[in-house]
Amino acid sequence: MKIETKIFILLSATALIAFIIGAYNPFTTVWSTTGLAILTIAIAHLFSRTITKPLQGLIQWTNELSQQNYEKSSHSDCSTALAMLTLQRQDEIGELARALQKREAELEQSIEDLRKAIAIKERMESELQIGREIQMDMLILGASAFSKHKDLGIYATLKPAREVGGDFYDFYFRRENLSYLFEENRFCFCIGDASGKGVPAALFMAVIKTLLKSQAYIDLSPAKILTHVNDVISAENPSCMFVTLFFGVLNLADGELVYTNAGHNPPYIRRQNGLVEPLNQRHGTALGVLEGLVYKEDKTTLENGDILITYTDGVTEAMDQDQTLFSDQRFLDLLKSNQYSSAEEVIKLTLAAIEAFQGEVEQSDDLTMLALQFLREPVSKEAAAELAINNDALSSLREQWR
């Protein structure tokens, strides 16, 4: 029964009693009125208890509900009382009780769903952290990897925007001849940016990196290496991912650099005299876009002290709080400064400039740089072969044949 119906019946009954008393006992009006008032108060008190007491119980239950510990799936005493109230009453209070009981069940389910989501999130974060460690290990980030080679200064950095990213770089030394009598006199290096971010880009990056390195041990032509890798990934690429790439091979004997640019940002050479020279040549589109492309290559020469700076678009497209780009021009102006004299210094200078430019803004893209400095006076090609001979290995061979 609705509450307003109960109030109407109460008032109607009171009025009827007063009318009867007044009609048949006109001389006892005062006493009748007093008794009627007392009766009305008693009835109102009894009626109010049927409303206020359950409402107070609901208020108490809602207060305890916000503090309830849902680690265990047990209901509080209020919940039990509320269930009884729901079964006994069919008025607005009963409706309110049933609504609160339903909300309690929904709250319990929401907390359970949240607990499961947190567990999944923690597991994914743990797996991503392991993936990040694996990726960083693949990218030769240890300080010992950047120690100065006798002919070359090397330094690199990679800062993923997420736990893992699609940027990568790699470098390794190759011998001119497979014989162990020859020194490592070819330096192969690359820097790339896979499409997308996060785990898919990181997996695609790992595949590209492996293909490049395996092919570089077969062929030292950057154009042929990229042509082969492009055919491999384009043939089986249902997700239509791609990677921009700069690949170079530096002859440590004479400073000749042979390189191929597959849709990547153009590197810069900071000459020893302070001039900055961009390598603007593009030799094909990004790898993975179209099967059957034949890439080309170009050559240049590094002199003693020259620094080659390669990077991904995370450098020039870094943004400040106004979404202004760091820009190619700002980066070029930085490279033209005389505040660095080594591969390590130019990267640290760039990172500091970008950090100051961004301020508190979150990094929006993977940021990668690889720089190398040629540290040898170039020699003629006729003398290069002699310089490549490993005298210690040759002496060891002679001892074995005595």
Side-chain angles (χ1 to χ4, degrees):
M1 185 183 296
K2 301 295 185 180
I3 293 177
E4 59 265 25
T5 304
K6 294 181 179 180
I7 295 175
F8 175 76
I9 294 174
L10 176 63
L11 294 177
S12 299
T14 304
L16 181 60
I17 294 172
F19 174 77
I20 294 173
I21 293 175
Y24 290 95
N25 270 317
F27 299 103
T28 57
T29 303
V30 175
W31 294 103
S32 300
T33 303
T34 302
L36 181 60
I38 294 173
L39 178 61
T40 303
I41 292 172
I43 295 174
H45 177 69
L46 178 63
F47 182 71
S48 66
R49 285 177 59 84
T50 64
I51 299 177
T52 58
K53 186 174 181 180
L55 286 178
Q56 289 173 352
L58 292 180
I59 292 172
Q60 180 184 359
W61 179 79
T62 53
N63 289 336
E64 292 183 4
L65 185 63
S66 62
Q67 303 173 358
Q68 190 169 327
N69 183 3
Y70 283 94
E71 290 297 327
K72 298 180 181 180
S73 58
S74 60
H75 293 283
S76 65
D77 293 339
C78 287
S79 297
T80 304
L82 182 61
M84 294 294 295
L85 185 62
T86 303
L87 295 175
Q88 295 174 0
R89 301 189 66 119
Q90 299 299 322
D91 55 10
E92 288 86 347
I93 293 179
E95 293 178 3
L96 177 60
R98 287 189 292 273
L100 289 175
Q101 193 175 51
K102 181 179 179 181
R103 296 298 178 270
E104 179 189 25
E106 292 175 350
L107 179 59
E108 290 179 342
Q109 184 60 47
S110 297
I111 291 176
E112 181 63 24
D113 292 342
L114 178 61
R115 187 180 295 115
K116 292 179 180 179
I118 291 174
I120 294 173
K121 181 175 181 293
E122 290 176 348
R123 184 171 66 251
M124 290 181 63
E125 288 178 348
S126 176
E127 292 174 354
L128 285 173
Q129 181 59 35
I130 295 173
R132 180 186 180 93
E133 293 173 0
I134 293 174
Q135 185 180 37
M136 294 300 103
D137 290 342
M138 290 175 60
L139 294 171
I140 325 176
L141 286 173
S144 60
F146 301 142
S147 58
K148 284 191 175 182
H149 188 272
K150 67 177 183 179
D151 300 324
L152 198 64
I154 313 164
Y155 199 79
T157 186
L158 189 150
K159 295 176 62 178
R162 299 181 183 176
E163 287 80 1
V164 292
D167 279 12
F168 68 97
Y169 65 84
D170 201 2
F171 57 82
Y172 29 88
F173 294 92
R174 279 290 312 276
R175 295 177 179 177
E176 187 78 26
N177 190 292
L178 294 179
S179 170
Y180 71 92
L181 297 179
F182 290 87
E183 295 278 6
E184 296 171 323
N185 55 4
R186 297 277 180 169
F187 179 70
C188 304
F189 64 96
C190 64
I191 185 170
D193 183 1
S195 59
K197 297 181 179 66
V199 175
L203 293 175
F204 191 63
M205 173 275 293
V207 172
I208 296 296
K209 186 174 180 292
T210 302
L211 289 173
L212 288 170
K213 193 167 187 176
S214 62
Q215 188 63 22
Y217 280 108
I218 300 174
D219 199 328
L220 275 175
S221 166
K224 293 181 179 179
I225 293 172
L226 267 60
T227 297
H228 171 78
V229 173
N230 178 69
D231 287 341
V232 172
I233 63 173
S234 297
E236 297 291 339
N237 188 15
S239 57
C240 298
M241 298 189 71
F242 60 89
V243 57
T244 64
L245 185 78
F246 181 89
F247 194 100
V249 178
L250 177 64
N251 189 331
L252 299 178
D254 58 12
E256 181 185 69
L257 172 65
V258 184
Y259 61 92
T260 298
N261 189 331
H264 198 71
N265 303 79
Y268 293 96
I269 298 177
R270 212 294 285 274
R271 300 293 183 181
Q272 188 64 17
N273 59 8
L275 296 178
V276 176
E277 173 187 330
L279 299 181
N280 287 323
Q281 296 84 354
R282 293 289 181 92
H283 305 101
T285 187
L287 302 180
V289 174
L290 184 62
E291 186 179 2
L293 292 178
V294 178
Y295 289 83
K296 299 180 180 180
E297 61 188 32
D298 272 297
K299 296 181 181 180
T300 188
T301 301
L302 296 183
E303 305 293 339
N304 185 28
D306 290 348
I307 303 175
L308 175 68
I309 304 108
T310 65
Y311 59 97
T312 62
D313 57 11
V315 173
T316 56
E317 295 180 4
M319 293 186 293
D320 63 9
Q321 59 183 3
D322 298 323
Q323 295 189 335
T324 302
L325 296 179
F326 189 71
S327 75
D328 295 283
Q329 186 59 50
R330 188 177 277 107
F331 183 47
L332 180 58
D333 292 340
L334 179 69
L335 296 181
K336 289 180 178 179
S337 69
N338 295 316
Q339 302 178 33
Y340 61 94
S341 59
S342 68
E344 180 177 356
E345 288 179 2
V346 67
I347 288 182
K348 291 183 175 180
L349 178 66
T350 304
L351 293 178
I354 292 175
E355 183 177 352
F357 177 79
Q358 286 181 319
E360 300 298 325
V361 177
E362 184 179 358
Q363 182 180 338
S364 59
D365 196 6
D366 302 336
L367 189 157
T368 306
M369 293 185 70
L370 169 65
L372 56 97
Q373 184 177 30
F374 190 56
L375 298 172
R376 181 175 186 172
E377 290 290 347
V379 297
S380 64
K381 293 186 177 181
E382 291 76 14
E386 296 182 10
L387 292 173
I389 295 294
N390 186 323
N391 292 324
D392 293 336
L394 182 59
S395 299
S396 176
L397 182 64
R398 286 172 177 170
E399 291 291 333
Q400 295 177 19
W401 287 93
R402 281 185 177 180

